Amino acid sequence: MRILVTDGMSKSAIAQLRDNGHEVVEQFYAPEALGAALQEFDCVVVRSKTKIQASHMDEAVKGKLKLIIRGGVGVDNIDVTYAESKGIAVRNTPCASSASVAELALGHMFALARYIGISNATMRAGQWNKKAYEGTEISGKTLGLIGMGRIAQELAKRAQALGMQVVYTCRNGEKKELPQYTYLPLAELLKTSDYVSLHIPMPADRKPVLGEAELALMKPTAFLINTARGGVVAEDALLKALNEDKLAGAALDVFEDEPTGNEALCAHPKVSVTPHIGGQTAEAQSRIGDEIVSIINGF
C-alpha cells in the first residue's frame, strides 16, 4: 500500500510498515490541498490536526484511497458516515492512549488542588505567595466522570486508589456493569462532585455539553477537567463562571479552536492548561504505532 502520514507517527511503526513492503510518505497538507493529495494514496493516517471532510472524500474517491486511520481514540475529525458511504473504511486506535490521557487528567487534578501551575508562574516572577496557596487533598473527594469509556475507567481506577469516591454518568443514560462506581444523572453528578472530568466525544450537533446552565449546578469549590474535546465545554461560559467565583478552577488540554487564541482563559490564575498532549507519551505513541501497523496488516 501507499500510505500518507499527515500528523506524525512513531519511527518504529513507520520502519515496520516499510519493512512490510509499504511505501510511507510523511507530509502534512493544508485543507485546500488535502483532497487532491489523497487520490495518490491507498491509506491515510491522521491524528488531531488533519480533518478529513466530505469535500476531501469527493476528491479522494477519484483515486485509490480505501482506508483512513485515526491514531487516537475519537474520530470526530473525520466525516465517518460520508467516508463509508464512499466505500472508504475508517479505523482508530481506541486502546492505545487511554492510560496516558487518564494520567494527564489526574495530573491536572493535583495541579488544581495544590496550585502547582500558578505557583510555578508566580515563583518564576520572583513572588513567594506561600499563604495564598492553601490547597486541598484529593483523598476523600468525589470525582464525577461524564462518560465512562476506556479513558474514564482508567482514571476511575487511579482516583479510587487515591481514596476518591467515583460517580459517573453516560449521555445515553446507560448504566455500566461497574458496581464499584455509582451512576448518577448528569444534574446530580454536577451538584455533588468536587471534580468533574469529561470523557465524551463531540456531540453530533456540535453543541456544548456543559454550558452556563450546567456549570451553574456545580459547587463553587469544584474543579472542572476537560481532556476530551474542546467544544464539549462552552469556553465563554467557563470563563464567566471562573470570573464570578462560581467554580474554584478548571484544567484544559483541549480547546474550541486549536491552537487556541483564548488568552483570557489560558492566562487565568484558576486555570491549568496543556496544549492537547493527552496522548503524548512515549508509551502511548508506541502503542498507537503498533495498532496502526496491525490495522494495515489486517486490512
Side-chain angles (χ1 to χ4, degrees):
M1 296 176 72
R2 192 162 191 258
I3 302 164
L4 173 64
V5 177
T6 64
D7 302 334
M9 192 166 69
S10 70
K11 292 181 180 179
S12 61
I14 290 173
Q16 191 172 345
L17 288 171
R18 287 172 174 158
D19 287 345
N20 291 342
H22 303 293
E23 179 186 351
V24 182
V25 176
E26 298 178 82
Q27 185 172 339
F28 175 79
Y29 285 92
E32 61 272 15
L34 180 61
L38 292 177
Q39 297 177 29
E40 306 300 321
F41 295 90
D42 302 285
C43 169
V44 58
V45 180
V46 304
R47 296 295 304 274
S48 299
K49 188 175 182 181
T50 298
K51 295 174 175 57
I52 304 181
Q53 305 301 328
S55 59
H56 299 131
M57 251 80 77
D58 287 337
E59 292 192 73
V61 293
K62 298 174 185 177
K64 55 183 183 177
L65 187 71
K66 52 182 176 283
L67 175 63
I68 300 171
I69 302 175
R70 158 77 161 93
V73 178
V75 289
D76 47 321
N77 56 327
I78 301 166
D79 192 330
V80 178
T81 302
Y82 198 79
E84 293 177 343
S85 76
K86 295 293 184 179
I88 302 171
V90 179
R91 302 287 186 269
N92 66 339
T93 59
C95 302
S97 58
S98 298
S100 295
V101 179
E103 289 186 3
L104 180 67
L106 185 59
H108 273 302
M109 288 166 61
F110 278 114
L112 292 171
R114 299 307 306 273
Y115 296 97
I116 295 171
I118 188 64
S119 293
N120 265 269
T122 54
M123 285 195 72
R124 291 172 193 272
Q127 301 173 34
W128 184 269
N129 298 334
K130 179 181 174 72
K131 292 184 179 180
Y133 301 140
E134 181 180 78
T136 56
E137 294 180 358
I138 282 179
S139 180
K141 303 300 189 299
T142 298
L143 169 63
L145 299 168
I146 300 177
M148 200 55 170
R150 294 179 179 88
I151 296 171
Q153 290 181 42
E154 290 289 338
L155 178 56
K157 288 190 294 185
R158 289 158 172 76
Q160 197 171 64
L162 290 165
M164 300 189 80
Q165 305 299 316
V166 178
V167 299
Y168 73 96
T169 195
C170 297
R171 296 203 70 208
N172 59 7
E174 177 188 0
K175 296 181 180 180
K176 303 279 187 176
E177 293 184 8
L178 297 167
Q180 66 272 44
Y181 313 124
T182 303
Y183 177 88
L184 292 176
L186 177 60
E188 190 175 347
L189 180 145
L190 293 172
K191 291 176 183 178
T192 58
S193 298
D194 300 296
Y195 294 81
V196 173
S197 186
L198 292 114
H199 301 280
I200 51 176
M202 177 68 73
D205 60 11
R206 306 196 73 79
K207 292 182 179 178
V209 175
L210 297 186
E212 188 170 354
E214 291 77 19
L215 293 173
L217 296 175
M218 294 177 64
K219 300 177 183 180
T221 56
F223 298 103
L224 177 69
I225 299 95
N226 186 14
T227 57
R229 288 291 181 266
V232 300
V233 177
E235 290 182 1
D236 56 348
L238 176 59
L239 188 59
K240 185 173 184 286
L242 293 167
N243 286 335
E244 295 177 356
D245 294 327
K246 294 179 179 178
L247 277 181
L252 304 170
D253 184 50
V254 289
F255 302 87
E256 291 177 354
D257 297 307
E258 296 184 2
T260 183
N262 196 335
E263 294 181 9
L265 196 57
C266 290
H268 201 285
K270 294 181 181 179
V271 176
S272 175
V273 288
T274 45
H276 203 151
I277 58 170
Q280 290 293 104
T281 63
E283 294 86 352
Q285 295 307 304
S286 177
R287 289 192 296 265
I288 288 170
D290 290 345
E291 282 197 45
I292 289 170
V293 171
S294 179
I295 290 168
I296 291 171
N297 286 344
F299 188 74

